[in-house]
C-alpha cells in the first residue's frame, strides 16, 4: 500500500507540475484545442494550484468551465523588454496596442458573432474620439499597413480564444476581396484583463502613473504583511524573469532573500521543475526542458548569431560601457565576414543599426545588458558567454 500511495503521490506531483507550467506558459487556457489537455489538469488540481499561487505570488487563479486564468501581475510594471508580439514574433507598435484596446472595447459590447469589416468600422469610429486624436492616434484604414495592424490584432485575439474564425480569411480582407466571420467569446474577453485595480477607478493622468496604479496593491502596515509582499515579489521574479539580480533589490528585499533563498527556490523547483543556479550576483531558474522561455541564447539564425557575437564583444570590454555606435561599427565588420552565412543583405549599409538594435533587445530582455544613454553596460550573467583561453590539454 505504501508503494502504491507513493506512486499516486508522484503522479499527482507530476500532474501539478505540468498544469503549473502550462499556466506559466499560457496564463489563459481554454477547454478545447491545443489547451485541452492542460485545462483538464488545471481543473483537476485547481484547489492546490490556487492555494500555491495565492500564498507564494499573490496571483489569483480563476478556474471556470469556460477557461482557466492565472492573473499574473508583473513584478516590475516598468519593464519594457517583454512586448506583445505577433505571429512573426515582431513586437507590437504603439498603434497596434491602441487598436487592441479599441477592439476589446468594441467586442465587449458585440453580439455573439461579428465580421472583420464590422469590427474595423466600429474601431474606426472609436478612434475618432477627441482624446485619442489629441494624443496623435490616427487610424483611417486608408493604407494597407493600417489594415495589417488590425489583422495582427485580430490574430492575437484568435490565438487567445476571444475570437474563433467561422468562415473567410484575413488575407482576403487585406486584398479587399472578402470578409471574415467570427464567433465572439465573451468569457475569454472578460478574463483578459488581469489587474488588482479597475481601470475606470484610476484618476492618474500620465501613462506611467496609470500603469503603476493599475498594478499596485495596498502597502501593508504589519511586519508579516511586508514579508508576504516581499515573498510575492521575489517568487514572481524567480518564475517570470530570466535572472534575479541582487543589484535590483532594495535592502529589505535582499535581506529576505539572503535568509529565505533556499525555501524560495525549493518551492519554485518543486512546482515547476526549474533548477536554481545560484551565483554571487543573483539567481537564475534554469529550465532543463527548455520550453518555458520566449527567448533563447544562443539561438540559430542571423539574429541569434549576432546576439552571441555582441555578447562576446561586450564581455571583452567589461566593466567599461560600450557606445552603441561602436557596436554598430563592429557588427558592420562582422556582417562582411559572415555574409555567406547571414541572411541576404545583412552587410548592406545601415543594416548594422537594425542588427544591433535586435541584439540589444534580446540581451536586455534576458537581463544580460543594460542600455543607458546610448551606452551598453554588461551585467554579470553576460560573462557566461565570454570566450575563455584554451588550455594546453584542450589543444591536444
Amino acid at each position: 500500500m505504501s508503494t502504491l500511495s507513493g506512486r499516486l503521490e508522484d503522479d499527482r506531483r507530476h500532474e501539478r507540475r505540468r498544469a503549473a507550467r502550462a499556466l506559466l506558459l499560457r496564463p489563459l487556457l481554454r477547454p478545447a484545442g491545443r489547451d485541452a489537455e492542460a485545462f483538464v489538469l488545471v481543473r483537476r488540481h485547481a484547489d492546490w494550484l490556487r492555494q500555491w499561487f495565492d500564498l507564494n505570488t499573490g496571483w489569483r487563479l480563476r478556474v471556470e468551465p469556460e477557461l482557466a486564468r492565472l492573473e499574473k501581475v508583473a513584478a516590475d510594471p516598468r519593464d519594457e523588454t517583454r512586448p506583445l508580439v505577433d505571429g512573426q514574433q515582431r513586437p507590437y507598435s504603439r498603434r497596434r496596442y491602441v487598436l487592441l484596446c479599441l477592439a476589446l472595447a468594441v467586442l465587449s459590447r458585440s453580439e455573439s458573432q461579428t465580421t472583420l469589416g464590422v469590427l474595423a468600422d466600429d474601431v474606426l469610429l472609436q478612434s475618432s474620439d477627441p482624446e485619442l486624436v489629441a494624443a496623435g492616434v490616427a487610424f483611417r484604414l486608408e493604407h494597407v499597413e493600417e489594415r495589417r495592424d488590425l489583422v495582427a490584432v485580430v490574430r492575437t485575439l484568435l490565438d487567445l480564444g476571444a475570437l474563433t474564425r467561422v468562415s473567410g480569411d484575413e488575407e482576403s480582407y487585406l486584398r479587399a476581396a472578402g470578409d471574415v466571420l467570427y464567433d465572439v467569446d465573451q468569457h475569454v474577453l472578460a478574463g483578459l484583463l488581469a489587474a488588482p485595480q479597475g481601470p475606470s477607478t484610476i484618476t492618474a493622468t500620465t501613462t506611467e502613473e496609470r500603469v503603476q496604479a493599475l498594478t499596485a496593491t495596498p502597502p501593508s502596515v504589519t511586519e508579516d504583511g511586508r514579508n508576504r509582499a516581499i515573498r510575492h515579489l521575489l517568487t514572481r521574479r524567480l518564475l517570470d524573469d530570466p535572472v534575479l539580480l541582487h543589484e535590483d533589490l532594495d535592502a529589505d528585499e535582499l535581506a529576505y532573500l539572503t535568509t529565505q533563498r533556499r525555501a524560495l527556490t525549493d518551492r519554485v523547483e518543486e512546482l515547476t521543475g526549474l533548477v536554481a543556479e545560484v551565483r554571487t550576483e543573483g539567481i537564475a531558474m534554469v529550465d532543463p526542458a527548455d520550453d518555458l522561455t520566449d527567448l533563447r541564447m544562443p539561438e540559430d539564425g542571423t539574429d541569434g548569431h549576432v546576439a552571441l557575437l555582441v555578447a562576446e564583444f561586450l564581455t571583452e570590454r567589461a566593466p567599461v560601457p560600450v557606445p552603441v555606435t561602436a557596436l554598430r561599427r563592429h557588427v558592420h565588420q562582422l556582417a562582411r565576414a559572415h555574409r555567406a552565412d547571414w541572411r541576404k543583405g545583412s552587410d548592406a549599409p545601415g543594416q548594422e543599426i537594425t542588427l544591433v538594435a535586435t541584439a540589444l533587445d534580446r540581451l536586455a530582455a534576458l537581463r544580460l545588458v543594460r542600455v543607458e544613454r546610448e551606452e551598453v553596460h554588461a551585467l554579470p550573467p553576460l560573462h557566461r558567454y565570454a570566450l575563455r583561453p584554451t588550455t594546453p590539454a584542450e589543444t591536444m
Side-chain angles (χ1 to χ4, degrees):
M1 289 297 293
S2 60
T3 302
L4 177 60
S5 298
R7 288 180 178 176
L8 291 174
E9 180 57 33
D10 286 342
D11 288 342
R12 282 193 292 269
R13 188 182 301 111
H14 181 63
E15 287 187 351
R16 290 167 182 168
R17 178 172 293 178
R18 289 169 57 197
R21 289 174 66 93
L23 286 168
L24 292 171
L25 190 62
R26 287 178 59 84
L28 193 154
L29 301 174
R30 300 174 67 225
R34 60 176 173 175
D35 299 333
E37 183 179 353
F39 182 84
V40 170
L41 295 178
V42 170
R43 287 204 67 181
R44 183 178 301 161
H45 300 283
D47 291 340
W48 187 93
L49 292 166
R50 189 180 293 114
Q51 183 179 7
W52 195 98
F53 282 115
D54 179 66
L55 175 65
N56 294 287
T57 67
W59 293 337
R60 179 189 176 204
L61 174 60
R62 183 155 52 93
V63 181
E64 301 171 358
E66 300 86 1
L67 58 82
R69 178 67 163 111
L70 179 61
E71 296 182 353
K72 295 171 62 178
V73 179
D76 182 4
R78 297 165 299 179
D79 184 1
E80 299 178 352
T81 64
R82 284 172 266 193
L84 184 61
V85 296
D86 62 18
Q88 284 72 48
Q89 299 303 301
R90 292 174 299 197
Y92 258 43
S93 63
R94 179 172 180 262
R95 182 166 63 191
R96 287 188 180 183
Y97 280 118
V98 173
L99 288 176
L100 176 60
C101 292
L102 293 177
L104 290 172
V106 168
L107 290 171
S108 67
R109 300 187 294 270
S110 172
E111 301 293 335
S112 60
Q113 287 191 325
T114 191
T115 66
L116 183 48
V118 169
L119 177 61
D121 289 341
D122 289 342
V123 167
L124 189 62
L125 180 62
Q126 293 291 326
S127 68
S128 63
D129 183 278
E131 290 190 15
L132 290 177
V133 174
V137 175
F139 181 66
R140 301 182 182 88
L141 283 179
E142 296 174 351
H143 304 289
V144 67
E145 284 306 313
E146 291 180 314
R147 294 195 294 274
R148 288 191 186 281
D149 284 340
L150 180 60
V151 165
V153 166
V154 166
R155 286 173 173 167
T156 294
L157 295 175
L158 286 167
D159 180 65
L160 292 169
L163 296 176
T164 301
R165 190 185 298 109
V166 177
S167 64
D169 66 86
E170 292 78 27
E171 290 301 321
S172 296
Y173 172 81
L174 288 175
R175 298 192 305 268
D179 209 341
V180 194
L181 177 65
Y182 302 106
D183 286 335
V184 181
D185 192 325
Q186 293 293 341
H187 295 290
V188 173
L189 285 169
L192 288 179
L193 181 65
Q197 305 297 325
S200 61
T201 66
I202 297 173
T203 58
T205 55
T206 69
T207 301
E208 183 173 353
E209 289 174 341
R210 290 183 65 81
V211 171
Q212 289 283 0
L214 188 68
T215 58
T217 54
S220 177
V221 297
T222 66
E223 183 176 355
D224 286 346
R226 288 190 292 270
N227 286 336
R228 180 171 60 251
I230 293 175
R231 181 175 70 248
H232 289 172
L233 172 71
L234 295 177
T235 307
R236 290 177 184 181
R237 288 191 163 179
L238 289 172
L239 288 171
D240 255 2
D241 293 354
V243 62
L244 173 61
L245 293 176
H246 293 163
E247 66 181 55
D248 293 336
L249 305 178
D250 64 27
D252 290 340
E253 293 163 355
L254 184 56
Y256 187 94
L257 179 62
T258 301
T259 59
Q260 300 295 321
R261 174 183 58 80
R262 184 63 180 270
L264 288 168
T265 56
D266 281 355
R267 282 194 289 266
V268 172
E269 287 182 347
E270 174 68 17
L271 176 76
T272 64
L274 299 174
V275 178
E277 183 177 298
V278 181
R279 294 289 185 266
T280 303
E281 65 273 2
I283 305 171
M285 301 302 301
V286 180
D287 183 17
D290 193 33
D291 59 10
L292 278 185
T293 182
D294 48 3
L295 286 175
R296 288 171 174 80
M297 182 78 176
E299 188 174 57
D300 293 336
T302 299
D303 292 332
H305 192 197
V306 173
L308 192 61
L309 294 176
V310 166
E312 176 192 334
F313 184 79
L314 293 170
T315 56
E316 290 173 352
R317 287 149 182 82
V320 178
V322 176
V324 173
T325 52
L327 275 179
R328 290 171 180 165
R329 289 193 298 270
H330 179 63
V331 168
H332 183 62
Q333 295 171 354
L334 290 172
R336 292 179 177 178
H338 295 280
R339 63 162 57 96
D341 303 312
W342 290 4
R343 62 173 171 263
K344 186 177 180 180
S346 296
D347 59 336
Q351 284 301 303
E352 68 275 5
I353 297 175
T354 301
L355 291 171
V356 168
T358 302
L360 291 181
D361 285 345
R362 178 186 296 270
L363 296 176
L366 291 170
R367 296 294 288 125
L368 299 175
V369 303
R370 184 178 66 253
V371 183
E372 293 180 346
R373 295 185 294 275
E374 292 299 303
E375 288 188 331
V376 185
H377 300 255
L379 296 177
L382 187 69
H383 291 277
R384 65 166 52 213
Y385 299 101
L387 290 180
R388 59 185 177 84
T390 304
T391 66
E394 290 172 326
T395 61
M396 295 176 61

